[in-house]
Amino acid sequence: MIFKEEFKTRLTDIGKDNKIKNKALLQMLEDIGGYHSDAVGYGANDTPKNKLTWILLDWKLKVINRPKYGQTLEVHTWARGGNRFFTYRDYEIYDEYRNICAIATSKWTLINIEKGKMERITDDIVNAYTIEEKEVFPGERLEKPVIPKEFSNEIEYTVIRKDIDINKHMHNLYYLDLAYEALPEDVYNNRPYDNVRIMYKKEIKLGDTVICKYSNENDRHTVVITDKEENLHAIIEMK
């Protein structure tokens, strides 16, 4: 089942040259995924009943034609399978002229909120979403990004209340904000980057202090987020 929704770019969505920011694109993708889950009985309002919530493990976004302020976009999403413990969701974003603006894929796992553990994705759940075989990145898999050996910039950040989501973790989109803060000024000023990858390893909670370390290798800008003991929280790549 391909699920569709319209979004209009807002003032808060735009950055340089009145064009939409990567964070705003990811917000639309997150929202439509939520709406799809609402429609099939596994959304946020269903969590108190079924004790299940979806947790994001990975993003991969490619911007092809960056929309500007005021445009109406049609976003498509669908579940495309996985295994008993994780599933993939793909996306396409079109403008009002049916031109493709961006494509993305993501990886999710299901958590039982009472047990605090991963839940098996049953046939009933798979059938509710009606799996599609279509892939926006045909044949590619979300392999773990390579952690650079050397870093040229570093910041420290302590998580505050505004960062926390409904799962009592730092919201997944705020990892991109942290990555931007770690960029050197010249790299930051060259944004937006049209290829973004975010891999989540370990949740960040209220009051945690994290270290964000930046590296540039072969024009790939990588920010690695760890705790003070260098345990990995996330890897963000931009190009």
Side-chain angles (χ1 to χ4, degrees), residues 67-86:
K68 290 188 175 183
Y69 168 67
Q71 286 188 266
T72 298
L73 307 176
E74 184 173 278
V75 184
H76 298 184
T77 190
W78 59 95
R80 63 168 178 87
N83 60 31
R84 290 301 183 188
F85 292 102
F86 68 83

Side-chain angles (χ1 to χ4, degrees), residues 20 41 71 86 106 119 137 156 177 212 221 231 238:
I20 194 167
Q71 286 188 266
F86 68 83
S106 57
E119 185 83 7
F137 298 107
E156 183 176 296
D177 289 335
C212 308
H221 306 286
N231 297 304
M238 292 169 277

Side-chain angles (χ1 to χ4, degrees), residues 80-170:
R80 63 168 178 87
N83 60 31
R84 290 301 183 188
F85 292 102
F86 68 83
T87 186
Y88 292 100
R89 172 178 291 279
D90 281 9
Y91 310 83
E92 295 171 329
I93 300 178
Y94 294 89
D95 66 16
E96 55 265 63
Y97 305 107
R98 300 295 300 158
N99 298 313
I100 188 75
C101 295
I103 57 176
T105 191
S106 57
K107 184 178 180 181
W108 301 78
T109 191
L110 197 61
I111 297 294
N112 185 303
I113 61 170
E114 287 189 335
K115 299 176 183 177
K117 296 181 179 180
M118 294 172 61
E119 185 83 7
R120 289 176 65 89
I121 301 173
T122 65
D123 289 339
D124 287 343
I125 297 172
V126 171
N127 293 335
Y129 283 92
T130 313
I131 300 301
E132 298 283 337
E133 295 184 2
K134 180 179 178 180
E135 299 180 47
V136 296
F137 298 107
E140 293 188 27
R141 291 294 177 263
L142 292 172
E143 304 294 342
K144 180 181 177 180
V146 176
I147 298 177
K149 295 180 180 179
E150 297 182 357
F151 300 92
S152 60
N153 201 44
E154 181 178 305
I155 66 166
E156 183 176 296
Y157 180 77
T158 299
V159 178
I160 59 177
R161 292 173 181 171
K162 73 173 183 62
D163 301 323
I164 301 302
D165 65 12
I166 60 173
N167 294 314
K168 298 181 180 180
H169 303 156
M170 184 175 183

